[in-house]
Amino acid sequence: MSGTLTGSKARWGVLFAVTALVLAAAGIYAVGAYQRFEESRTAASSVGVTAGQPLPAAPFVLFRNTASGQGYGNAATVPLSAPGGTRAVSEQECDRVYGTAGTVVCLKTNRGLVTAFEAAVMDRDWQVQRSWPLPGIPSRTRVSADGSMIATTVFVTGHSYAASGFSTATEITLPDGTTGNLEDFALMVNGERLVATDRNIWGVTFAPGQSDVFYATAASSGRIWLVRGSLSAKTLTAIHDHVECPSISPDGTRIAYKKNDGGGLVAHWKVAVLDLASGQETVLAEKRSVDDQIEWLDNRNLLYGLADDAVEGDSNIWQLGTEPDSQPSLFIAHAWSPSVVR
């Protein structure tokens, strides 16, 4: 019996030792990877940059800088008249960013022993005015034109709209600081309230000049709708099928969005535009899969981000006209999450 106990203790001792070595190696690798990441962030930038000053006078483009080197991952701006020019890079790291002439909303990942997610609202001097924790991985954010309402979408489970079983949480924060979870709103489909528990709401866009109206995507039981939301009534009313991550035009007449034509197993998102008055849908000529919430450059042109196939962690912002035969062109290299401030 004593020999069996001795052998058992020895095996446990070996197991503990091996586990300790594996954990130590993992820790060393993680530390090394973090150091390499920090070193890359302090290297000279691969594009022309200046230190972030207060937000410039409109019009300008706000975006996430993905150029390698100093300022990688930070919010930045360029004049709308010179999108390829020198970018002013702030000290604020953001996964997603959106803003107005005086307000910037930044969704970020705070890495440490425990990774946490946060939304921060900054003024035009990049000073944080308020912040709050997010319940998952940052995905989308939008701000109303007057800066008073802020929408955030995060992945509670999963990390991509192409993955099966993903779950989102979408909230709208009002001027008084109160926050409403859109899953608590009544979802109306064909005049009836949908009470299914497997609902996801994501991708809010605020209607210009209508403080009570917004649009978003709702999904349940494999179906996807564009919904018109009312803040006062707390309702979401389905008005069109197969619309994801809507974005309303500056004149409020059209919705640009991504539309999955790849089936349920392998998503492939086309860019489409819906005329709200007529219900006519126009699918555009972009052949690449666009997994982004589109931004309007103006009433005739769209902007969206695409990952750079050649460089991991890099992305580019592309421009596409709303005519059916328009072809995409590069708008800002090494950039992501565009916000046009007029």
Side-chain angles (χ1 to χ4, degrees):
M1 179 66 73
S2 62
T4 302
L5 290 175
T6 301
S8 178
K9 290 179 179 178
R11 286 193 295 273
W12 278 109
V14 171
L15 178 61
F16 288 143
V18 170
T19 301
L21 286 172
V22 170
L23 290 175
I28 292 171
Y29 176 82
V31 170
Y34 180 77
Q35 289 176 338
R36 289 191 295 274
F37 174 73
E38 287 301 306
E39 288 171 359
S40 69
R41 285 176 52 83
T42 58
S45 177
S46 59
V47 298
V49 300
T50 61
Q53 303 297 319
L55 291 178
F60 63 89
V61 184
L62 171 69
F63 58 96
R64 180 179 188 260
N65 174 48
T66 63
S68 61
Q70 191 171 12
Y72 175 86
N74 292 15
T77 63
V78 289
L80 185 57
S81 60
T86 299
R87 56 191 67 180
V89 179
S90 75
E91 296 182 354
Q92 299 290 343
E93 296 180 36
C94 303
D95 297 333
R96 273 278 180 181
V97 64
Y98 202 83
T100 66
T103 300
V104 175
V105 177
C106 171
L107 307 189
K108 61 176 67 178
T109 301
N110 296 323
R111 294 176 175 83
L113 293 177
V114 177
T115 297
F117 308 102
E118 178 186 24
V121 180
M122 292 161 280
D123 61 18
R124 67 180 315 274
D125 294 315
W126 299 101
Q127 299 301 305
V128 176
Q129 301 301 297
R130 55 192 171 111
S131 63
W132 60 92
L134 295 172
I137 301 170
S139 174
R140 310 286 187 229
T141 187
R142 281 293 189 270
V143 185
S144 60
D146 62 1
S148 64
M149 295 181 291
I150 297 166
T152 60
T153 296
V154 302
F155 287 112
V156 178
T157 60
H159 61 277
S160 169
Y161 294 102
S164 61
F166 75 85
S167 178
T168 60
T170 297
E171 299 177 333
I172 293 179
T173 302
L174 301 177
D176 61 3
T178 59
T179 298
N181 188 327
L182 295 193
E183 289 195 8
D184 296 331
F185 283 38
L187 176 57
M188 309 300 295
V189 180
N190 297 325
E192 297 184 0
R193 182 168 182 172
L194 188 69
V195 295
T197 58
D198 68 331
R199 298 189 303 166
N200 276 317
I201 318 293
W202 70 89
V204 168
T205 183
F206 293 103
Q210 302 180 68
S211 60
D212 188 56
V213 178
F214 64 92
Y215 295 87
T217 295
S220 179
S221 302
R223 295 190 64 189
I224 296 176
W225 305 276
L226 171 67
V227 294
R228 178 184 170 100
S230 168
L231 288 168
S232 60
K234 293 190 175 182
T235 57
L236 303 167
T237 303
I239 62 173
H240 201 81
D241 291 340
H242 308 301
V243 172
E244 297 188 57
C245 297
S247 177
I248 195 163
S249 60
D251 62 10
T253 64
R254 292 185 291 171
I255 296 278
Y257 55 98
K258 62 178 190 175
K259 177 185 177 70
N260 184 14
D261 70 347
L265 296 178
V266 180
H268 182 275
W269 286 289
K270 299 287 288 184
V271 177
V273 175
L274 176 71
D275 184 280
L276 288 171
S278 67
Q280 180 179 351
E281 178 185 80
T282 302
V283 178
L284 304 183
E286 169 65 85
K287 294 182 173 57
R288 296 166 295 183
S289 183
V290 178
D291 183 10
D292 195 13
Q293 185 167 13
I294 294 164
E295 171 74 343
W296 288 80
L297 175 60
D298 51 42
N299 284 314
R300 300 181 62 182
N301 294 279
L302 310 175
L303 299 178
Y304 48 87
L306 286 172
D308 191 313
D309 293 334
V311 182
E312 184 178 358
D314 198 1
S315 53
N316 302 294
I317 295 172
W318 294 81
Q319 176 180 341
L320 181 67
T322 55
E323 297 299 320
D325 58 351
S326 294
Q327 296 300 311
S329 59
L330 185 63
F331 186 69
I332 304 178
H334 313 298
W336 175 250
S337 191
S339 174
V340 177
V341 180
R342 301 169 182 85

